[in-house]
Amino acid sequence: MPKLAGKFLNLLFSTWFMDLIFDEFRDGKINLDKTLKLLNKFDVSYDYVHVKKVFKKNDKQKSGLITMEDFRAIYRTLLHRPELHELFSSYSPNKKVLTVSNLCDFLRKEQFELDVNEARAVSLINKFEPIDEARSQREMTFEGFIRYMLSEECSIFKQKHRTVYQDMNFPLCDYFISSSHNTYLIQDQLVGPSHLWGYANSLKKGCRCVEIDCWDGPNNEPVVYHGHTLTSKITFKNVIDVVHKHAFEASDYPVTLSLENHCSAPQQEKMAGHLLDILRDTLCISTLDDSMPSELPSPEQLKFKILIKNKKVGTLEETLQRRGQRCLGQIAELEEVMESEDDLIDEDPKLYKSPRRESPHISHFTHKVKVAMLLSELVIYTASRSFVSFEDSKEKQKFYQNNSIGEVKGQKLISKRAPDFIAHTTNFITRIYPKGTRTDSSNYDPQEFWNVGCQMVALNFQTPGVQMDLLNGKYLDNGGCGYVLKPEFLRKRDTDYNPHDVNMKFRALTLTVRIISGCQLPPSNLSKSNKADPVVKIEIHGVPGDMNKQQTSVIKNNALNPRWNETFTFNINVPDLALIRFVLEDQMALTANDFLGQFTLPVMSLNKGYRHVPLVSKLGVTLKPASLFVYIWYCFHVLS
């Protein structure tokens, strides 16, 4: 009986396969274009370079034409991967189909769907099984299994995390907020062009805080550019137009416009006019109910609102009391503490604790700036305040005031006073920005600032690399909405968390990653065909004690379907802050490896079981169908 059943199933596959290809082979043979057309008909994702190579291999006559059997060979090369067949066969008693019961076993034991039931299995059969007869028998053939395993159902990224699933009702300072630096630049910071595309691009990527450098322009129209450089100029009005158009395309949650304001009072008034005229109802111009709050509102309460981050005259209470009064033409002077953006902190922390005692390395000085009241009144929940010291902020800073700190100063504060830094970020929004010497628009490592709870860790979105991979990976979470809730230990006012001392305090986990194989990987940039010598690196980014990197062996001369079957284990002390980055490289003799693709995601967004890792290019563009096939398992340690 089993033999008969096997023959019948072979016939089913053959009939289904022939029905789909028969029309194309009426003339006996087909060319490459028709081969691609047929693969589309089968819903097979393919890379043109790989198909062309496999086509040439099967075109034995070198005529540019292949037979039906040749096409079947190409189809099987691309789709019938042996590692998937081995997995399928281990749960299929007859090696031909999975019954509902077989599929439930697989989902429970391998994919960790512990509450799976028959209805779930039947829904997968109905969704992925292409052969009508098998579907009607509530069975999944290898064809259906392949389609299921390569679908989003089996992505390494948790399905739940693709939507907004976190509580969005905490105050703004309790979230990491996707933030951009010098958003208007699309190249370097000396002679590169300023472009509206910078704003459209970052907002479409879910960025929720963009920077606008404002300077006096001709005809009383403020302009945006990198001051005192040869970067080109765009008008402030056009920037606000673009922000208005794209602000809520990727996310409903609030956008902050961080104004680096160098304008004279008359042009500041012009800025305020453009903000009011263009943004209209989306502009946040008062507190939620016009009364004085005691803490920042939540992202949920500020949905579809645009906040202005700028210097503010007086207090928020005074702004609310002045509601309805005319401010046009009124100018106020503010005394602002100025210091070098990359101030070094003296080796003796006692020197730095007092804001009145200056270390030899610190150059605090004050200067007066003129602020147009019309613009100042538009600053509600995000008033800029110079950072002097943690003690000064604790004593004098209001909940609606935020600080901007340069990366070098921030790194010094982390190394010397991490607990104080964390206490500061539980209360106040803190923005970190790149040091001024990064004229090539390079980026610092954002992870160390997330480790101490900094909310707005601003990067140059126009510059690809590891740093932007980390930012993109972090904000994949929570539906890509640009807001990620900080772990509780970074929100609690009395937290004892310190990134430099985390031994077994914070729900540590052991993570196991088996790199099984690769599928249609990007060929080497140096290869004239579809070849590469691929190697996979797995990086853990997190608190200092969790930073780790391991890699597979090199598979020579195979980008189509390399097999590794190598297992790696990572002990992660603070998984709530950790990111995992899969990097695919082509090993090159004598020189550095050639980057082929990567994928980064939060460790807490990892799906267990057999999963595929989609790969993206250096610029963040999907390289589909290129993927890695992996097995993921992890368990949390019991806290003593």
Side-chain angles (χ1 to χ4, degrees), residues 347-515:
E347 289 302 309
D348 181 357
K350 293 195 292 291
L351 286 176
Y352 194 67
K353 281 189 177 179
S354 167
R356 288 174 297 280
R357 285 187 68 183
E358 302 295 341
S359 105
H361 299 295
I362 297 178
S363 51
H364 288 137
F365 60 92
T366 60
H367 77 142
K368 289 187 171 152
V369 291
K370 287 186 167 62
V371 179
M373 289 298 293
L374 197 63
L375 183 60
S376 171
E377 298 292 76
L378 301 182
V379 178
I380 306 299
Y381 296 119
T382 42
S384 300
R385 182 183 191 272
S386 298
F387 178 78
V388 177
S389 70
F390 293 133
E391 288 70 27
D392 174 76
S393 290
K394 193 172 183 180
E395 184 186 339
K396 300 175 185 172
Q397 192 160 330
K398 312 282 191 202
F399 69 88
Y400 56 84
Q401 293 177 319
N402 57 73
N403 310 115
S404 286
I405 299 175
E407 63 165 294
V408 173
K409 183 173 185 175
Q411 287 161 346
K412 291 281 183 181
L413 289 169
I414 290 169
S415 69
K416 298 189 181 307
R417 301 190 60 188
D420 293 321
F421 208 152
I422 292 159
H424 181 80
T425 59
T426 60
N427 290 294
F428 308 113
I429 291 176
T430 302
R431 180 177 178 272
I432 305 295
Y433 59 91
K435 61 187 176 184
T437 52
R438 292 187 182 274
T439 53
D440 57 352
S441 293
S442 60
N443 282 312
Y444 55 83
D445 179 3
Q447 185 68 50
E448 58 186 325
F449 296 106
W450 292 327
N451 289 343
V452 293
C454 295
Q455 296 86 347
M456 294 179 170
V457 180
L459 296 187
N460 292 297
F461 270 48
Q462 75 273 27
T463 307
V466 179
Q467 299 83 3
M468 271 307 296
D469 292 345
L470 295 177
L471 185 140
N472 289 334
K474 187 172 190 70
Y475 291 106
L476 273 182
D477 198 5
N478 207 27
C481 75
Y483 284 81
V484 171
L485 185 64
K486 296 200 285 188
E488 189 183 14
F489 57 78
L490 282 174
R491 293 184 270 128
K492 284 195 317 187
R493 301 292 185 258
D494 58 346
T495 184
D496 62 348
Y497 159 76
N498 181 338
H500 304 304
D501 177 22
V502 293
N503 289 335
M504 293 299 291
K505 289 183 191 172
F506 298 93
R507 210 167 63 120
L509 66 70
T510 297
L511 169 67
T512 300
V513 179
R514 177 152 56 101
I515 304 290

Side-chain angles (χ1 to χ4, degrees), residues 153-195:
E153 293 270 356
C154 292
S155 170
I156 195 168
F157 188 73
K158 281 182 180 174
Q159 199 72 26
K160 182 185 176 185
H161 292 195
R162 295 169 188 274
T163 58
V164 176
Y165 69 96
Q166 295 178 340
D167 189 340
M168 302 302 285
N169 294 294
F170 290 96
L172 284 176
C173 58
D174 284 356
Y175 296 83
F176 295 117
I177 303 168
S178 178
S179 302
S180 160
H181 176 251
N182 285 354
T183 316
Y184 48 89
L185 291 180
I186 57 173
Q187 286 178 20
D188 67 69
Q189 305 188 6
L190 294 178
V191 295
S194 302
H195 205 287

Side-chain angles (χ1 to χ4, degrees), residues 172-450:
L172 284 176
C173 58
D174 284 356
Y175 296 83
F176 295 117
I177 303 168
S178 178
S179 302
S180 160
H181 176 251
N182 285 354
T183 316
Y184 48 89
L185 291 180
I186 57 173
Q187 286 178 20
D188 67 69
Q189 305 188 6
L190 294 178
V191 295
S194 302
H195 205 287
L196 296 171
W197 177 84
Y199 291 96
N201 180 55
S202 58
L203 290 167
K204 285 178 177 182
K205 286 182 176 176
C207 180
R208 299 288 88 190
C209 176
V210 296
E211 185 181 32
I212 310 177
D213 264 8
C214 314
W215 299 81
D216 280 356
N219 306 317
N220 201 34
E221 277 295 342
V223 292
V224 174
Y225 81 112
H226 203 227
H228 310 302
T229 67
L230 298 176
T231 57
S232 62
K233 301 177 175 70
I234 48 181
T235 67
F236 178 80
K237 179 179 184 296
N238 285 346
V239 169
I240 303 308
D241 272 327
V242 168
V243 168
H244 183 242
K245 182 177 178 184
H246 298 290
F248 303 107
E249 273 184 32
S251 170
D252 300 347
Y253 292 103
V255 170
T256 299
L257 305 186
S258 181
L259 303 184
E260 194 68 30
N261 190 352
H262 307 278
C263 288
S264 61
Q267 295 217 11
Q268 287 181 43
E269 289 202 334
K270 193 77 172 181
M271 287 164 60
H274 290 321
L275 291 167
L276 288 161
D277 292 345
I278 296 167
L279 301 179
R280 299 188 291 277
D281 291 346
T282 59
L283 186 63
C284 178
I285 57 171
S286 184
T287 54
L288 292 171
D289 53 5
D290 294 335
S291 63
M292 185 60 203
S294 58
E295 65 175 7
L296 288 171
S298 69
E300 193 66 31
Q301 290 172 306
L302 292 173
K303 264 186 169 179
F304 301 109
K305 285 293 180 185
I306 294 176
L307 313 179
I308 304 303
K309 178 176 169 303
N310 188 65
K311 302 176 188 77
K312 182 169 185 63
V313 177
T315 65
L316 182 54
E317 293 100 319
E318 289 164 350
T319 292
L320 294 173
Q321 287 162 11
R322 285 193 293 264
R323 294 264 309 153
Q325 294 179 20
R326 281 179 60 80
C327 299
L328 197 61
Q330 292 185 27
I331 298 164
E333 267 195 347
L334 281 179
E335 195 170 83
E336 186 178 47
V337 178
M338 292 293 292
E339 54 184 294
S340 159
E341 66 180 34
D342 297 327
D343 273 331
L344 298 177
I345 296 165
D346 195 270
E347 289 302 309
D348 181 357
K350 293 195 292 291
L351 286 176
Y352 194 67
K353 281 189 177 179
S354 167
R356 288 174 297 280
R357 285 187 68 183
E358 302 295 341
S359 105
H361 299 295
I362 297 178
S363 51
H364 288 137
F365 60 92
T366 60
H367 77 142
K368 289 187 171 152
V369 291
K370 287 186 167 62
V371 179
M373 289 298 293
L374 197 63
L375 183 60
S376 171
E377 298 292 76
L378 301 182
V379 178
I380 306 299
Y381 296 119
T382 42
S384 300
R385 182 183 191 272
S386 298
F387 178 78
V388 177
S389 70
F390 293 133
E391 288 70 27
D392 174 76
S393 290
K394 193 172 183 180
E395 184 186 339
K396 300 175 185 172
Q397 192 160 330
K398 312 282 191 202
F399 69 88
Y400 56 84
Q401 293 177 319
N402 57 73
N403 310 115
S404 286
I405 299 175
E407 63 165 294
V408 173
K409 183 173 185 175
Q411 287 161 346
K412 291 281 183 181
L413 289 169
I414 290 169
S415 69
K416 298 189 181 307
R417 301 190 60 188
D420 293 321
F421 208 152
I422 292 159
H424 181 80
T425 59
T426 60
N427 290 294
F428 308 113
I429 291 176
T430 302
R431 180 177 178 272
I432 305 295
Y433 59 91
K435 61 187 176 184
T437 52
R438 292 187 182 274
T439 53
D440 57 352
S441 293
S442 60
N443 282 312
Y444 55 83
D445 179 3
Q447 185 68 50
E448 58 186 325
F449 296 106
W450 292 327

Side-chain angles (χ1 to χ4, degrees), residues 14-32:
S14 192
T15 305
W16 165 77
F17 192 82
M18 293 300 292
D19 283 349
L20 282 174
I21 71 172
F22 186 76
D23 281 351
E24 295 298 332
F25 279 97
R26 286 184 185 279
D27 298 329
K29 292 186 176 184
I30 61 170
N31 60 17
L32 179 58

